[in-house]
Amino acid sequence: LRLCGKLRKRLLDLTDEDLASCELASCAVARSGHPLTSLCETVRASLISKIERGCRVRENTKFLHTEPHHDDIMLGYLPAVLRHTRVASNEHHFVCATSGFNSVSNGHMLLLLQRVQHFLASPTFRRLCAEGYFGGQGTEVLDFRRRDVWKFLDGIAAADDELRDEGAARR
């Protein structure tokens, strides 16, 4: 795969000449005892299988999502989280567990908590509570709860501090 990236070629398009240009790849293929085309097909099938397994939606599953920084889940694998939060039988728990070293500073966490405190005193928070945003179950509630992620990301993209802060406070 490294050779594919280096040559900017698809896996199945690699040739023996390409292989000869990389000592490490040549050695690996020679040690396998299989021809290049056979190995490429095997690797391709394996990658496709792994991607398909990763895209499969689980049901009746408890998830513990952990992140070393406050935005790693959102930035790292948000699509997978969204797929699994759509299934009402799944249960999700989120933990931001930093060591304090090269992570979110105490000052930043205090800033986030101040934003949450401000949000809790806002008319928007009272309205959301009345609408059932923070309670209940079902597809409609899950759709409601996804808004906070999009508000946060839209706020960052638009450089809109108020929108970003509301999204973060909701989460």
Side-chain angles (χ1 to χ4, degrees):
L1 292 176
R2 192 173 293 153
L3 182 58
C4 290
K6 180 181 172 187
L7 299 177
R8 302 185 59 78
K9 284 184 112 173
R10 292 178 345 126
L11 183 62
L12 296 179
D13 293 338
L14 288 179
T15 65
D16 289 324
E17 292 78 32
D18 297 328
L19 189 61
S21 72
C22 179
E23 188 177 338
L24 180 62
S26 295
C27 179
V29 171
R31 292 187 81 189
S32 76
H34 298 285
L36 176 62
T37 54
S38 172
L39 286 176
C40 288
E41 289 170 3
T42 301
V43 169
R44 179 181 182 275
S46 174
L47 290 171
I48 289 171
S49 173
K50 289 175 183 179
I51 291 168
E52 287 174 346
R53 272 197 325 266
C55 291
R56 191 180 77 232
V57 177
R58 292 167 174 37
E59 295 182 3
N60 299 308
T61 304
K62 291 182 182 180
F63 291 88
L64 174 60
H65 304 277
T66 62
E67 60 184 344
H69 301 96
H70 68 287
D71 57 359
D72 286 347
I73 290 172
M74 197 178 303
L75 297 173
Y77 66 105
L78 180 63
V81 172
L82 290 177
R83 271 196 306 275
H84 287 94
T85 57
R86 289 183 181 131
V87 179
S89 65
N90 289 336
E91 186 177 324
H92 296 268
H93 303 275
F94 295 85
V95 177
C96 180
T98 64
S99 67
F101 179 74
N102 288 336
S103 61
V104 178
S105 67
N106 288 341
H108 183 68
M109 289 306 295
L110 288 172
L111 176 65
L112 291 178
L113 289 172
Q114 288 170 348
R115 290 174 180 168
V116 169
Q117 189 174 25
H118 176 75
F119 180 66
L120 291 175
S122 73
T124 302
F125 177 73
R126 287 190 291 280
R127 178 182 51 78
L128 291 171
C129 286
E131 292 173 358
Y133 182 89
F134 299 104
Q137 294 182 6
T139 305
E140 185 175 317
V141 172
L142 289 176
D143 288 339
F144 241 12
R145 291 180 183 163
R146 281 190 206 103
R147 281 197 242 165
D148 55 4
V149 174
W150 299 116
K151 275 195 177 290
F152 177 80
L153 293 174
D154 289 345
I156 289 175
D160 183 329
D161 293 345
E162 186 176 339
L163 191 61
R164 178 206 62 210
D165 292 351
E166 183 182 331
R170 286 183 184 202
R171 181 47 91 198

